[in-house]
Amino acid sequence: MGIRVMLAVIARELKANAKAFLVWAVAIALFNVAGVMKFEGIASGDPEAVRKLTDAFPKVALAVMGISDLDMSTFAGYYAVLEFYAGIMAAVYAVALARNAVSREMVDGTYEFLFVRPVTRTRILTAKLVAALVCAVAFVAVNLVSSLLCLGLLGDVPGLSGGSGPAPAAVVWRFNVWLMALMLVFGAIGACASAVCPSPDRGAAIGNASVVVAYGMGVVYDMFSDHDAAVAARVLSPFRYATPADVIAGSGPVPFVALAAGLAVAGFAVAYVAFDRRDLVPR
């Protein structure tokens, strides 16, 4: 009986998330088509002119746009900038998925129907988070496939060759692994905030605020030429636990990888404990 209820909950959650997922999937696919294909225009120009144009911007402007320390004349550097914005979209979507998983019954007023079923709250939350994870994986898959398809359409565009660096397809794969990890971290933050807060709106606000704070701290980190002096800002920004250079190289600093894993585990653990004890009537 319990397994059947969990499967029913997963199916119900996937159906409820379908419309929003389609919107996000179309948005990220169109973003990649418009973004990756524009690299053809940049690559066909003068790489040195692109570098000089980038260097002409103030450091703060480069940090805000996610261009700091990146060579936009190469595909790796250009795609890193695109994924910076894709990462922001992914973080917002992950918070929304987690918030819906934890608080949908409170918002829709269906908690009395669901929680009288012969299954524990822990299993119910697990089923709802599994559905959210399926949507997150599908989001990353759309980003990956659309990027690779656009990459194939570029053909032999100058500057596309990896040269001494990784191949363009490898860069795409690595950034999508980073994107998945980012969604897990912000999903954990969103689930924790939604489970701890008595009001669904307050939990959603805290989850979304975490994305804004992380973005702001990432900008602060990028503004410092000496990144070691801004390590505190990096700790507060999951966007920079692995810098674009780290992702392009296919590596990541062990302390920050461990911090990301710890945040994800702790966030979901707190969400389970709080969800099991919470008053289901919104206040």
Side-chain angles (χ1 to χ4, degrees):
M1 176 66 74
I3 297 298
R4 285 205 298 267
V5 172
M6 290 181 68
L7 291 176
V9 171
I10 292 174
R12 175 181 177 275
E13 286 293 303
L14 290 175
K15 182 178 180 180
N17 289 333
K19 184 176 180 180
F21 170 74
L22 288 175
V23 173
W24 280 102
V26 170
I28 195 68
L30 292 177
F31 174 77
N32 280 324
V33 170
V36 176
M37 297 306 292
K38 282 186 177 180
F39 179 71
E40 184 174 7
I42 293 177
S44 62
D46 182 4
E48 189 60 33
V50 174
R51 296 187 190 100
K52 288 181 179 179
L53 177 64
T54 303
D55 292 340
F57 281 91
K59 187 73 173 178
V60 62
L62 295 176
V64 168
M65 293 185 291
I67 306 177
S68 183
D69 300 327
L70 292 171
D71 184 356
M72 290 282 288
S73 66
T74 66
F75 178 78
Y78 181 81
Y79 190 70
V81 177
L82 290 183
E83 289 305 284
F84 175 72
Y85 296 106
I88 295 173
M89 289 189 281
V92 172
Y93 184 43
V95 169
L97 286 172
R99 178 259 186 187
N100 288 335
V102 174
S103 300
R104 191 189 303 278
E105 272 58 50
M106 294 177 66
V107 175
D108 295 346
T110 56
Y111 58 91
E112 291 179 332
F113 173 77
L114 179 60
F115 290 97
V116 296
R117 298 298 176 186
V119 64
T120 63
R121 288 192 185 188
T122 297
R123 287 192 174 188
I124 289 175
L125 182 57
T126 298
K128 291 163 75 65
L129 289 176
V130 166
L133 179 61
V134 170
C135 292
V137 171
F139 176 89
V140 174
V142 170
N143 185 67
L144 172 65
V145 172
S146 59
S147 296
L148 290 175
L149 288 176
C150 290
L151 188 61
L153 293 175
L154 288 177
D156 296 326
V157 170
L160 192 61
S161 173
S164 59
V171 171
V172 172
W173 274 97
R174 290 169 185 177
F175 270 103
N176 278 275
V177 172
W178 170 79
L179 202 67
M180 188 70 248
L182 195 69
M183 293 191 77
L184 288 174
V185 172
F186 280 103
I189 294 172
C192 178
S194 296
V196 169
C197 294
S199 167
D201 290 339
R202 187 180 306 170
I206 292 174
N208 290 326
S210 71
V211 179
V212 176
V213 171
Y215 167 76
M217 290 299 100
V219 170
V220 171
Y221 175 77
D222 286 348
M223 285 175 58
F224 282 80
S225 297
D226 180 10
H227 291 312
D228 290 338
V231 66
R234 188 178 186 182
V235 169
L236 294 174
S237 179
F239 291 112
R240 287 296 177 257
Y241 285 178
T243 65
D246 292 330
V247 179
I248 292 170
S251 64
V254 174
F256 284 98
V257 172
L259 177 58
L263 275 177
V265 171
F268 284 120
V270 171
Y272 271 99
V273 173
F275 187 79
D276 195 52
R277 298 176 179 176
R278 77 186 302 185
D279 183 357
L280 293 173
V281 180
R283 298 194 296 271

